[in-house]
């Protein structure tokens, strides 16, 4: 049997290994969809609150920091304690909502309407890819998995190098600019992030078929949230580059 791969750090070939409990109710794809919907509602609620604070002239920087650090820690806990995901996944969604609401509000001041555009593109991409996957238009082969994982790993290395260089006052030239190369790089990253959604769908479907326990529905929803948040942030970057050229 082919080894399942995903570039999403929350989903990999070992994610569902050793979690099956034949005495427990198994997870379902529909249950995972429902849990993902709950997580998205929590994220929207927290983001709307941070957005309203920014609109009222309040300082949202501390909330953004709390969301970023708290979300990172909660994500790590969820990855290593999957059975805690019914509790930690909603907490993660709320914390990421604080982060995204603050970032979106700050960018929207500079580029009016950019948050709505990025959200529309993100969910439009999600629904189109979900439709294509469920209809069989996109098939997840071993080569497809390998290509997406390799591309995602390369992007993560570029971002890591950029962060390290930033500590010394340097940056990787061109990719963060609003020129053709910078926009092209952002388009590439958006495409790779979108392809990770396909791998997530495939792994969640496979886990349901293998009878993973019910709590893994929350974990599957959490994993999808990680990819969607990455895709949304990359959409914001792409749109900000394009709009700054005007």
């Amino acid at each position: 049997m082919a080894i399942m791969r995903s570039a999403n750090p929350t989903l990999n070939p070992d994610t569902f290994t050793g979690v099956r409990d034949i005495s427990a109710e198994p997870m379902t794809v529909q249950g995972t969809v429902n849990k993902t919907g709950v997580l998205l509602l929590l994220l929207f609620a927290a983001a709307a609150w941070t957005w309203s604070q920014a609109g009222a002239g309040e300082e949202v920087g501390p909330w953004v920091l709390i969301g970023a650090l708290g979300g990172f820690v909660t994500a790590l806990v969820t990855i290593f304690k999957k059975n805690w995901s019914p509790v930690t996944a909603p907490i993660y969604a709320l914390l990421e909502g604080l982060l995204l609401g603050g970032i979106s509000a700050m960018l929207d001041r500079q580029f009016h309407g950019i948050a709505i555009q990025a959200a529309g593109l993100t969910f439009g991409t999600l629904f189109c890819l979900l439709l294509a996957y469920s209809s069989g238009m996109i098939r997840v082969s071993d080569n497809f998995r390998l290509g997406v994982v390799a591309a995602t790993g390369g992007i993560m290395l570029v971002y890591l190098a950029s962060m390290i260089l930033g500590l010394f006052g340097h940056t990787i030239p061109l990719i963060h600019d609003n020129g053709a190369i910078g926009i092209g790089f952002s388009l590439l990253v958006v495409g790779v992030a979108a392809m990770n959604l396909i791998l997530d769908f495939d792994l969640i479907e496979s886990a349901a078929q293998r009878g993973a326990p019910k709590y893994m529905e929350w974990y599957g929803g959490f994993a999808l949230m990680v990819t969607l948040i990455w895709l949304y942030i990359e959409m914001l970057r792409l749109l900000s580059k394009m709009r700054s050229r005007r």
Side-chain angles (χ1 to χ4, degrees), residues 154-164 172 175-176 185-186 189 230 234 237:
I155 290 168
M156 294 301 106
L157 286 175
V158 170
Y159 280 159
L160 179 61
S162 181
M163 291 174 57
I164 294 174
I172 297 177
I175 66 171
H176 299 299
F185 177 76
S186 287
V189 176
W230 178 34
E234 295 301 339
R237 285 178 174 164

Side-chain angles (χ1 to χ4, degrees), residues 11 31 82 138 145 211 217 233 245:
L11 289 176
K82 298 178 181 62
I138 298 179
R145 293 187 185 100
E217 291 178 352
I233 291 174
R245 290 170 61 92

Side-chain angles (χ1 to χ4, degrees), residues 1 13-14 33 81-82 105 112 115-116 127 129 142 145 157-158 176 182-183 200 203 206-207 209 231:
M1 183 177 64
D14 299 321
V33 171
K81 290 289 186 179
K82 298 178 181 62
H112 181 66
I116 296 298
F127 291 129
L129 290 177
D142 287 342
R145 293 187 185 100
L157 286 175
V158 170
H176 299 299
I183 291 175
D200 293 349
L203 281 169
S206 298
Q209 293 172 352
L231 180 59

Side-chain angles (χ1 to χ4, degrees), residues 121-200:
L121 287 170
T122 299
F123 286 101
T125 300
L126 170 66
F127 291 129
C128 288
L129 290 177
L130 182 58
L131 179 62
Y133 175 78
S134 60
S135 66
M137 292 176 60
I138 298 179
R139 298 188 181 278
V140 181
S141 65
D142 287 342
N143 288 335
F144 179 87
R145 293 187 185 100
L146 184 60
V148 174
V149 170
T152 305
I155 290 168
M156 294 301 106
L157 286 175
V158 170
Y159 280 159
L160 179 61
S162 181
M163 291 174 57
I164 294 174
L165 288 173
L167 296 175
F168 299 96
H170 301 286
T171 184
I172 297 177
L174 302 178
I175 66 171
H176 299 299
D177 298 337
N178 63 356
I181 295 177
I183 291 175
F185 177 76
S186 287
L187 283 170
L188 172 65
V189 176
V190 165
V192 172
M195 290 302 99
N196 271 274
L197 287 173
I198 297 293
L199 298 190
D200 293 349

Side-chain angles (χ1 to χ4, degrees), residues 77-78 80-91 215 218-219:
V77 172
T78 307
F80 290 105
K81 290 289 186 179
K82 298 178 181 62
N83 58 317
W84 292 6
S85 57
V87 174
T88 57
I91 294 173
Y215 68 79
W218 285 105
Y219 189 85

